[in-house]
């Protein structure tokens, strides 16, 4: 929608006023879209659980993730467990973490961090009981729990188990040892959340179907009705109110506003994708002379808060391509869980293309005390590339890689056709689709950060 600067005696003409009103509303809507994207994305995750036949607070889904599950940058490196709890229904909720190599977190409906559990949490992998307290809960938490206040009534629970020795089945079984139940009943009560293994079943735990159309705003309005307001969000609630989206009122946009909201959804999504894959930030490079970037740009903070401001650009970058957040996910320190690098470009700076074949040289040894992996993601779905091989990851735990006889590096290949004799070191890509990669290092050692080790760039193989 264009604007005009036609004024008469200091007042906008009728034509100018209409154009300025449209431009203002579009700007407001685009900013609100970006701000609340984590909220709507969280609803996509929750809806994914429900679509598998699991009502909130009843069960926790287990899976060894694969390309069949459409989930923003999920990986196949560690089994997942994911649950949705409604604290309005359950009251204070206990999460009993057993001892072992578990990584867990709780995020609210806006994907704001509540608490880490397991290895990155206060129990440090030794086991402990956590207590999630509903918004507005005033009573003193009982002794013996790591208590944390949730900011919303709906919360996301996510757990992973490290596959020690490459035993993924054992890791999947180990997740069943986690217990989640209302404080009011104890661990043996009828409302203890059950586990449901959905490995291999197709699912969609994203907001892709809503993100570029009017449904985005409909879902957001439903969330605003259900959840208590967040004090820090008041300016953005004001922006929504100016667009006719309020907690106390029905969502009934007229034709003009429908068009503005549709345009804002598309523009907001595209602006976030630009932030993810075309950022010009100075703090984004990992190695300086390689086309690998940091995925998380606010180290040590799970809610993207720098000392003086909310880093909305880093927040946009993360949530358009990934889900959930915690300080442990963004730390850059030796032995701290895992660290992630992103690349969407070949050595010459062109976006990775599913029609082409690329080689990635990985110098050995990789500075990982546990293991490392490379996963390829579809640029449109931000989920694992889907092909007839049902495989999008190459992992050091999953098989032996043949080192290159010349330099000892491991050469990985990505393209529509397998390199002869190296099929086990190849990910199939889809012609006509762009893709990007995450390089994950689990248990990073010092060389992962000091620049003495670095992966190669993607090199096109003619």
């Amino acid at each position: 929608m264009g604007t005009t600067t036609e004024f008469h005696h200091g007042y906008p003409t009728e034509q100018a006023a209409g154009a300025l009103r449209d431009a203002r509303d579009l700007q407001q809507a685009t900013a609100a879209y970006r701000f609340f994207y984590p909220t709507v994305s969280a609803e996509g995750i929750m809806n994914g659980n429900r679509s598998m036949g699991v009502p909130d607070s009843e069960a926790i889904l287990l899976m060894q993730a694969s390309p069949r599950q459409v989930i923003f940058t999920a990986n196949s490196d560690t089994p997942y467990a994911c649950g949705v709890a409604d604290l309005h229904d359950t009251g204070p909720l206990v999460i009993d973490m057993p001892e072992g190599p578990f990584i867990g977190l709780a995020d609210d409906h806006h994907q704001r961090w509540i608490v880490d559990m397991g290895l990155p949490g206060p129990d440090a992998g030794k086991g402990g009981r956590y207590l999630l307290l509903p918004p507005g809960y005033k009573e003193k938490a009982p002794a013996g729990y790591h208590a944390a206040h949730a900011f919303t009534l709906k919360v996301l629970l996510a757990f992973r188990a490290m596959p020690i020795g490459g035993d993924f089945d054992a890791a999947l079984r180990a997740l069943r040892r986690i217990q989640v139940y209302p404080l009011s009943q104890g661990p043996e009560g009828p409302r203890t959340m059950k586990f449901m293994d959905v490995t291999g079943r197709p699912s969609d735990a994203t907001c892709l179907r809503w993100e570029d159309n009017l449904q985005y705003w409909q879902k957001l309005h439903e969330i605003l009705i259900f959840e208590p307001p967040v004090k820090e969000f008041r300016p953005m609630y004001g922006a929504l109110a100016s667009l006719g989206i309020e907690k106390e009122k029905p969502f009934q946009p007229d034709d003009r506003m429908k068009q503005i909201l549709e345009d804002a959804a598309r523009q907001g999504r595209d602006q976030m994708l630009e932030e993810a894959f075309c950022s010009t930030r100075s703090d984004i490079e990992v190695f300086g002379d390689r086309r690998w970037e940091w995925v998380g740009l606010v180290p040590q903070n799970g809610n993207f808060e720098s000392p003086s401001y909310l880093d909305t650009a880093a927040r946009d970058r993360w949530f358009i391509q990934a889900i959930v957040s915690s300080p442990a996910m963004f730390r850059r320190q030796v032995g701290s869980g895992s660290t992630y690098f992103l690349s969407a470009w070949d050595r010459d700076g062109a976006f990775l293309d599913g029609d082409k074949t690329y080689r990635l040289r990985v110098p050995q040894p990789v500075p990982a005390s546990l293991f490392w992996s490379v996963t390829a993601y579809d640029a449109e779905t931000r989920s694992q590339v889907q092909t007839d091989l049902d495989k999008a990851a190459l992992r050091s735990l999953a098989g032996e890689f043949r080192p290159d006889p010349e330099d000892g590096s491991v050469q990985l290949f990505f393209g529509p056709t397998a390199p002869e004799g190296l099929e086990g070191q190849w990910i199939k890509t889809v012609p006509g689709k762009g893709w990007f990669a995450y390089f994950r290092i689990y248990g990073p050692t010092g060389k992962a950060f000091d620049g003495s080790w670095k992966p190669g760039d993607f090199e096109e193989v003619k």
Side-chain angles (χ1 to χ4, degrees):
M1 298 181 179
T3 60
T4 178
T5 56
E6 293 180 8
F7 279 68
H8 181 68
H9 293 174
Y11 298 105
T13 65
E14 182 177 352
Q15 180 183 7
L20 289 167
R21 187 179 305 116
D22 288 344
R24 179 200 65 208
D25 287 347
L26 180 60
Q27 289 176 345
Q28 290 267 53
T30 304
Y33 175 97
R34 294 170 62 171
F35 186 84
F36 286 105
Y37 190 93
T39 306
V40 179
S41 180
E43 184 65 19
I45 303 168
M46 295 176 180
N47 190 67
N49 272 36
R50 298 165 192 145
S51 69
M52 304 295 278
V54 181
D56 298 353
S57 306
E58 289 194 10
I60 298 172
L61 297 188
L62 290 175
M63 72 172 70
Q64 179 63 45
S66 74
R68 298 181 192 183
Q69 288 90 36
V70 180
I71 307 172
F72 290 161
T73 52
N75 65 72
S76 301
D77 303 337
T78 58
Y80 285 94
C82 180
V84 181
D86 183 347
L87 301 182
H88 180 268
D89 182 39
T90 66
L93 190 71
V94 177
I95 300 103
D96 195 338
M97 296 293 297
E99 182 178 2
F102 299 101
I103 298 173
L105 62 81
D107 273 10
D108 73 5
H109 210 153
H110 304 294
Q111 293 198 72
R112 294 191 303 168
W113 175 71
I114 301 172
V115 66
D116 282 321
M117 297 171 278
L119 289 171
D123 71 287
K126 297 177 181 178
R129 293 186 300 174
Y130 293 78
L131 186 63
L132 295 185
L133 303 174
Y137 189 81
K138 302 297 184 182
E139 298 179 31
K140 184 178 180 181
Y145 294 89
H146 302 292
H149 280 271
F151 311 110
T152 58
L153 295 169
K154 302 273 189 181
V155 296
L156 283 167
L157 305 174
F159 309 98
R160 293 189 291 165
M162 304 301 283
I164 303 302
D167 193 337
F168 294 93
D169 290 336
L172 198 63
R173 291 193 301 270
L175 286 167
R176 294 180 178 272
R177 294 164 50 204
I178 300 170
Q179 292 183 302
V180 182
Y181 53 89
L183 176 66
S184 60
Q185 70 160 39
E188 304 303 324
R191 302 201 63 191
T192 297
M193 294 177 72
K194 309 296 190 293
F195 285 91
M196 178 187 294
D197 194 333
V198 296
T199 298
R201 289 177 57 183
S203 63
D204 186 343
T206 72
C207 59
L208 287 168
R209 65 180 74 80
W210 312 323
E211 71 173 8
D212 64 350
N213 56 67
L214 195 64
Q215 289 185 77
Y216 178 94
W217 305 100
Q218 293 168 335
K219 290 296 177 184
L220 178 57
H221 184 249
E222 292 170 7
I223 297 165
L224 295 181
I225 290 173
F226 181 81
E227 295 291 1
V230 179
K231 184 177 181 180
E232 303 96 289
F233 290 6
R234 287 174 62 85
M236 297 312 300
Y237 292 144
L240 290 178
S242 73
L243 303 169
I245 303 173
E246 295 185 62
K247 183 180 181 71
E248 298 83 5
K249 296 181 180 179
F251 177 59
Q252 296 176 333
D254 58 20
D255 289 342
R256 168 186 168 275
M257 186 55 68
K258 285 180 181 178
Q259 184 63 56
I260 287 172
L261 294 175
E262 292 266 6
D263 290 345
R266 288 187 289 270
Q267 291 187 28
R269 189 271 315 272
D270 292 350
Q271 289 173 12
M272 293 177 73
L273 289 171
E274 184 277 332
E275 190 65 55
F277 301 115
C278 304
S279 177
T280 58
R281 289 176 61 134
S282 60
D283 60 349
I284 206 166
E285 292 184 353
V286 181
F287 305 109
D289 60 345
R290 297 285 192 278
R291 297 191 183 277
W292 289 95
E293 297 181 347
W294 294 109
V295 180
L297 299 181
V298 187
Q300 312 291 353
N301 189 281
N303 290 327
F304 305 90
E305 296 164 341
S306 76
S308 56
Y309 62 92
L310 177 68
D311 194 334
T312 55
R315 187 173 179 266
D316 284 355
R317 173 181 169 84
W318 175 259
F319 283 115
I320 197 65
Q321 60 178 298
I323 55 173
V324 300
S325 63
S326 85
M329 299 176 73
F330 305 135
R331 288 180 188 141
R332 301 176 191 174
Q333 63 189 49
V334 172
S336 179
S338 57
T339 191
Y340 305 170
F341 310 136
L342 157 75
S343 182
W345 314 270
D346 67 14
R347 184 171 57 184
D348 298 322
F351 282 119
L352 298 173
D353 186 340
D355 290 275
K356 299 177 180 179
T357 296
Y358 302 91
R359 175 176 52 230
L360 174 66
R361 295 181 183 272
V362 182
Q364 300 296 304
V366 175
S369 61
L370 295 173
F371 62 98
W372 59 272
S373 71
V374 181
T375 306
Y377 296 101
D378 184 306
E380 292 183 348
T381 67
R382 286 91 77 192
S383 303
Q384 294 188 61
V385 294
Q386 294 185 335
T387 68
D388 55 351
L389 295 185
D390 196 30
K391 174 184 175 182
L394 295 169
R395 305 169 300 199
S396 63
L397 269 182
E400 293 293 330
F401 293 137
R402 185 193 309 175
D404 182 69
E406 294 185 6
D407 61 11
S409 68
V410 167
Q411 297 189 39
L412 307 180
F413 293 86
F414 306 78
T417 306
E420 186 175 352
L422 290 170
E423 291 83 358
Q425 296 175 204
W426 165 67
I427 293 176
K428 187 174 185 178
T429 60
V430 182
K433 283 184 170 286
W435 61 276
F436 62 96
Y438 273 17
F439 196 115
R440 292 178 169 91
I441 299 178
Y442 293 87
T445 62
K447 291 186 177 181
F449 303 104
D450 65 12
S452 60
W453 174 91
K454 59 186 75 173
D457 285 320
F458 289 96
E459 307 171 46
E460 185 178 353
V461 179
K462 298 293 186 180

